[in-house]
């Protein structure tokens, strides 16, 4: 099993992603969804109703796509308690591994 390229608490490892996540989290969720082949608009709308659900779904998708170790329970906990960090971690993963890999 692979590991995350960036730890959850190292959310500022990529300054561009960190800045986007801090200033406009909705834009980062949209970009993550779009890069994973999902509807960015739908994920942003879902985020308006339940903010941690898009982060949970996108983190789970990235983890499954690249065979990253972890569990659904871990994804739920991280998305609920550390949503901005999860969004940044997912964005870095997509950026470094490539959305189509």
């Amino acid at each position: 099993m692979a590991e995350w390229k960036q730890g959850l608490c190292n959310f500022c490892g990529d300054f561009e992603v960190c800045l986007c996540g801090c200033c406009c989290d909705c834009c980062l969720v949209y970009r993550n969804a779009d890069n994973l082949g999902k509807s960015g608009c739908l994920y942003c709308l879902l985020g308006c109703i339940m903010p941690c659900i898009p982060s949970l779904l996108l983190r789970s998708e990235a983890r499954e796509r690249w065979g990253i170790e972890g569990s659904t329970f871990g994804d739920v906990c991280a998305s609920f308690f550390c949503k901005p960090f999860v969004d940044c971690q997912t964005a870095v993963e997509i950026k470094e591994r490539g959305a189509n890999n």
Side-chain angles (χ1 to χ4, degrees):
M1 297 293 279
E3 292 187 12
W4 291 99
K5 300 267 185 200
Q6 174 175 286
L8 192 59
C9 294
N10 186 26
F11 63 95
C12 283
D14 184 311
F15 186 71
E16 175 193 355
V17 169
C18 177
L19 191 61
C20 185
C22 290
C23 296
C24 187
D25 184 59
C26 185
C27 295
L28 189 57
V29 168
Y30 179 92
R31 188 167 75 177
N32 286 347
D34 193 50
N35 286 337
L36 287 172
K38 309 293 182 189
S39 170
C41 290
L42 183 64
Y43 276 74
C44 283
L45 288 173
L46 181 59
C48 292
I49 299 166
M50 298 188 73
C52 29
I53 298 300
S55 300
L56 166 65
L57 296 173
L58 294 170
R59 178 184 168 90
S60 295
E61 172 70 24
R63 192 174 49 76
E64 290 173 16
R65 181 176 291 195
W66 291 298
I68 299 169
E69 62 182 271
S71 66
T72 302
F73 179 73
D75 293 341
V76 169
C77 289
S79 298
F80 183 77
F81 293 110
C82 307
K83 181 203 178 321
F85 300 162
V86 167
D87 292 335
C88 290
Q89 183 184 45
T90 304
V92 168
E93 205 66 31
I94 294 167
K95 187 176 181 179
E96 291 192 9
R97 293 188 189 257
N100 298 321
N101 293 336

